[in-house]
Amino acid sequence: MGKPCIVGCADLKIDYENKKCIANSKTIFEGDAITIDGSSGEIFVGEIPTVEPKITEDFKTILSWSEKIKKIGVRANADTPDAASLAREYGAKGIGLCRTERMFNARDRIGLFVDMIMAKTLEERKLILEKLGELQKSDFIKILKKMEGYPVTIRLLDPPLHEFLPNPEELMNKIHRLEKTNSTQEIEDTKQLLERARELSEINPMMGHRGVRVGITYPEIYEMQINAVFEAAAELVRQKVNAHPQIMVPQVGSLSELNHIKQIHNRIKSEIEKKYKMKLKVNFGTMLEVVRACLTADELAKTAEFFSFGTNDLTQAVFSFSREDAEAKFLPEYLEKEMLDLSPFQSIDVNGVGSLMKSGIEKGRKVKAGLEIGVCGEHGGDPKSIVFCHNSKLSYVSASPHRIPIAIVSAAQAVLLEKKSKKR
Ligand code: PEP
Ligand code: MG
């Protein structure tokens, strides 16, 4: 996202009550300016002057050589028109992952999304979804315009619904606070929110009610999103924009799940084609991020027109590591004790995750030769992983916009390394 950030900083003591935090015996109060160096992990007190990183002329030359040499495609993970523009400027040829939930998280939309979750009847939910659909359609139009001529993979909602609600503990605290005042209506509203948050809460959300499973149990949400993509596609045909949206389903583990959503896709496609009096082509594919999806990729390929490896979730599943817990609790010690060379969340674990990917690629392409298969996990921007992806004959890697130039150079290096090893 182009923002520096430090995570898993266990030494930082946060004092919520007094709105301050203490680190390394320095106290910082809410509102104080600090400067973060996301590369070194340092925090400086105060505002330090910064400069925008620029691609130098020399680096541009290297990029142009790389473009000529590389074989694997480079696309971007981008969810906003600005991110799409930046990615294109840096040389991305398409969007490999547009996470639609990020659009709902925007400040002016989250309220509407929460209302949709809280809706008491299906009719009420559908009315709110209609409004959200309009917003999504206009977002898709803007992003597709920025990426004119290139594919844009739009992923349907992935996170569990409770991620959009405050957590029950927070809500209970709020109710206690409100009880000291006299805000009866607010207490009632917060109690309803608490009830719904409890209803939706899960023991293990990572493996719970998310992705396609939400799409199956709340079909109206995926219907709204698929409709918004087709509406955007039709609108752009009218405007003579060369747009290539494709729809991707997350967390799929079986062909029956994928077929279920494909039926919705087909129905909406004919409805919009009729409405706009035109033929539309929106490719329909799936993420491979559930172990079963990789093991049964030959079945999924019967319906899917493309695959994209979600190596973030796949890594969690293969290692049985929950990323946040692993990074906060034991991964640093594993690395220190040299039990792992690199964090598997940073660079693809070739022997484990990689072998599952190879099986997915082989099975998928046995059914559909030339099937488009990419990677949209964070590994798509990691040089070592890009070499693995090139060697595995993937169609493209998808990386966040700021990592695109490095991905292009790494893709070219992968070709040179391959030539070198063949010579040997
Ligand atoms: C992934 O799992 O690799 C992926 C891209 O999905 P997300 O990170 O959004 O879960
Ligand atoms: Mg995922």
Side-chain angles (χ1 to χ4, degrees), residues 97 99 101 155 158 210 287 289 310-313 376-377:
L97 175 62
R99 289 178 167 105
E101 58 269 14
R155 183 180 73 181
D158 182 37
R210 60 178 290 207
M287 292 196 68
E289 55 181 345
T311 47
N312 302 333
D313 272 304
C376 63

Side-chain angles (χ1 to χ4, degrees), residues 162 165-166 168 171 192-201:
H162 56 76
L165 301 185
L171 290 167
Q192 281 186 21
L193 208 54
L194 175 63
E195 195 184 321
R196 187 74 170 128
R198 280 188 173 142
E199 202 175 278
L200 293 172
S201 86

Side-chain angles (χ1 to χ4, degrees), residues 85-129:
S85 283
L86 186 68
R88 191 164 187 153
E89 202 180 298
Y90 281 168
K93 299 212 161 40
I95 291 182
L97 175 62
C98 172
R99 289 178 167 105
T100 51
E101 58 269 14
R102 298 221 172 138
M103 300 168 168
F104 298 132
N105 266 324
R107 224 166 262 228
D108 57 332
R109 314 221 170 139
I110 185 72
L112 211 49
F113 202 77
V114 170
D115 289 347
M116 186 279 291
I117 297 172
M118 296 295 296
K120 297 219 168 37
T121 61
L122 183 61
E123 286 65 39
E124 194 189 330
R125 177 168 302 121
K126 283 190 170 171
L127 276 179
I128 304 171
L129 280 167

